[in-house]
Amino acid sequence: MKRSSLAPDTYEKLEPIEDVRLAVCEAGIRYQGRKDLLLCVFPQHTTVAGVFTKSRTASAPVEISRKHLQGEKARALVVNAGNANAFTGMRGMDAVQKTIAATTSLVGCPPEEVFVASTGVIGEPLQPEKFTHLLSDLHQNLKVDTWHEAAQAIMTTDTYPKLAHHTVKMDAHKVRINGIAKGSGMIAPDMATMLSFIFTDAPIAANVLQPLCEAATAQSFNAITVDGDTSTSDTVLVFATGGATKHGVKEITALDDPRAQDFAGALNTVMRDLAHQIVRDGEGATKFIAIHVSGAENDKAARTIGLSIANSPLVKTAFAGEDPNWGRIVMAVGKSGEAADRDKLSIRFGEHLVATQGEVHPEYEEAQGAAYMKNQDLDIFIDVGVGTGKFTVWTCDLTHDYISINADYRS
């Protein structure tokens, strides 16, 4: 598949996270000649937090992992690409249970400490015998520096692996956060046909890690959209090994601990980086677009308006054609159902004030907007003039390639 024109020039090099070991292989679940199975193993007492799809047709791995999250501990993660194991009935649950059983025998942990995620085609039974026998070899070949390969192993229609990292000082020690993600199409809150796994050596209690994970997801993975479609398989998991305690870092047990907020800032940075990479790899995308909404009744209303604009096929095709058709943005604001003052509405394309006080700005010229639309990265500012609510949504354009990719997805 052709690499996205919005792909980064270089990939992040992720340093090892203490006590996180990974291994990948080619299982041939759907793809041939590419890695499609990932095993991650963590030490005892690793805490875990997560956010999952809100789809009413969630996959078997989502249902089981959501249940296991209640235990707040993790020892292993198994991810396969090529088959979502969604809408597969009891066979889907059986495949998950067999995967977990094979993993627990290797790691030596309770079943509820194993998390499973799958991505790929919906409705096709996942055959565990294709890959569970490979977990033993993966377990014997676990390494601490397999991040790039891990990001590759979870890809489906992605054109490049997605990795991000950040560090934060905690008790005079540098704590690391590494993240990988996959996603390219069927991307819309809440959440998307995306998987993301974040790892840190910070010692954080699960009751603190969970709200931090939820807050960061709201501002990152749940603030992006490629095509407005929500998947059955969306999973974000954050694993905290506590390895930094060996260097004198004390566990964070309360949200009001100042170190919790420092960690939250770093976690937000990693998640937002990964979320942006997903949008930049949107199927057929040629534009990365930030929709900045302000002046709404509240932040929730601003988010709704932003998504109404970002998910509009008319708006997205205008961006694809580099047409500064701001009337379509006015349309999308109006259809959102949220309060907006037509006679106070203003729109800017980057630095160019296009509309103000409910009409086209007298000094705006179409050539300015047309020239701005030729940029790969676009910032669109909309103020709806009724309050102080604000929110930013990130999206991409809609091109002929999106149709081609999805028309041929199972061919």
Side-chain angles (χ1 to χ4, degrees):
M1 190 175 294
K2 182 176 67 174
R3 191 167 181 266
S4 170
S5 61
L6 303 176
D9 294 329
T10 58
Y11 296 118
E12 295 269 13
K13 179 174 175 51
L14 275 54
E15 298 296 327
I17 295 283
E18 194 156 9
D19 297 325
V20 174
R21 298 176 295 148
L22 314 92
V24 303
C25 72
E26 297 177 13
I29 295 168
R30 181 176 185 84
Y31 307 115
Q32 300 301 317
R34 56 183 277 192
K35 295 175 175 59
D36 59 356
L37 184 64
L38 166 66
L39 172 66
C40 305
V41 176
F42 319 110
Q44 288 184 342
H45 310 301
T46 294
T47 56
V48 60
V51 178
F52 301 92
T53 181
K54 292 182 179 178
S55 170
R56 297 301 179 92
T57 54
S59 69
V62 166
E63 295 290 354
I64 295 298
S65 290
R66 183 186 282 132
K67 181 179 179 181
H68 286 189
L69 190 66
Q70 298 172 10
E72 302 183 340
K73 300 293 183 183
R75 289 294 310 282
L77 167 70
V78 181
V79 188
N80 76 268
N83 187 313
N85 194 14
F87 203 69
T88 48
M90 292 308 298
R91 285 185 292 179
M93 287 294 182
D94 181 64
V96 174
Q97 297 297 353
K98 287 180 177 177
T99 302
I100 291 173
T103 306
T104 55
S105 66
L106 295 168
V107 178
C109 67
E112 58 269 21
E113 293 186 3
V114 177
F115 289 78
V116 178
S118 300
T119 181
V121 174
I122 295 170
E124 294 184 3
L126 177 64
Q127 300 173 355
E129 61 272 13
K130 273 195 169 185
F131 62 89
T132 51
H133 66 286
L134 300 173
L135 292 172
S136 179
D137 285 343
L138 289 179
H139 188 254
Q140 292 177 19
N141 290 284
L142 292 165
K143 298 178 181 178
V144 297
D145 57 355
T146 319
W147 295 104
H148 189 87
E149 293 85 350
Q152 289 178 314
I154 64 176
M155 291 166 47
T156 52
T157 59
D158 305 60
T159 69
Y160 62 87
K162 298 163 183 68
L163 307 96
H165 71 95
H166 204 68
T167 60
V168 59
K169 206 161 208 182
M170 199 174 288
D171 295 338
H173 176 72
K174 187 166 64 175
V175 168
R176 297 187 183 279
I177 305 174
N178 284 358
I180 61 174
K182 67 80 53 179
S184 187
M186 204 185 289
I187 301 292
D190 296 311
M191 291 159 21
T193 182
M194 54 148 286
L195 305 177
S196 184
F197 308 109
I198 318 293
F199 311 86
T200 180
D201 56 351
I204 305 180
N207 67 307
V208 177
L209 192 60
Q210 183 62 35
L212 295 183
C213 174
E214 292 174 2
T217 299
Q219 298 295 323
S220 56
F221 298 119
N222 279 349
I224 62 174
T225 178
V226 168
D227 46 23
D229 283 333
T230 297
S231 167
T232 59
S233 307
D234 317 330
T235 300
V236 172
L237 291 170
V238 182
F239 301 95
T241 69
T245 56
K246 301 172 186 175
H247 306 282
V249 180
K250 296 180 180 179
E251 184 180 24
I252 297 174
T253 58
L255 277 172
D256 59 2
D257 186 326
R259 298 173 304 156
Q261 297 313 306
D262 292 340
F263 179 83
L267 181 63
N268 290 352
T269 297
V270 170
M271 284 197 182
R272 186 167 295 185
D273 188 339
L274 292 170
H276 286 190
Q277 290 184 53
I278 288 172
V279 174
R280 289 185 180 277
D281 202 17
E283 290 170 343
T286 66
K287 307 286 185 184
F288 177 82
I289 307 149
I291 308 290
H292 308 277
V293 178
S294 60
E297 279 190 318
N298 49 51
D299 292 351
K300 182 180 179 181
R303 179 179 182 270
T304 300
I305 294 169
L307 288 171
S308 179
I309 297 167
N311 283 325
S312 166
L314 287 175
V315 172
K316 294 166 79 69
T317 50
F319 286 131
E322 299 180 343
D323 177 9
N325 192 337
W326 57 274
R328 293 182 178 180
I329 294 175
V330 174
M331 172 278 297
V333 171
K335 75 168 186 174
S336 71
E338 297 294 341
D341 190 328
R342 181 196 61 195
D343 297 327
K344 292 182 180 179
L345 185 71
S346 67
I347 300 172
R348 279 195 295 129
F349 292 162
E351 297 179 352
H352 305 291
L353 183 58
V354 177
T356 182
Q357 298 299 309
E359 60 182 359
V360 65
H361 190 269
E363 296 180 9
Y364 172 70
E365 296 181 1
E366 187 82 355
Q368 295 174 327
Y372 183 73
M373 287 294 158
K374 294 188 180 298
N375 294 321
Q376 278 196 338
D377 288 18
L378 302 172
D379 284 285
I380 311 300
F381 299 87
I382 303 99
D383 192 296
V384 298
V386 296
T388 59
K390 60 183 179 179
F391 198 85
T392 297
V393 172
W394 295 277
T395 189
C396 59
D397 54 345
L398 181 62
T399 69
H400 289 289
D401 283 346
Y402 178 88
I403 298 171
S404 299
I405 291 167
N406 285 284
D408 297 337
Y409 182 55
R410 298 201 307 160
S411 302

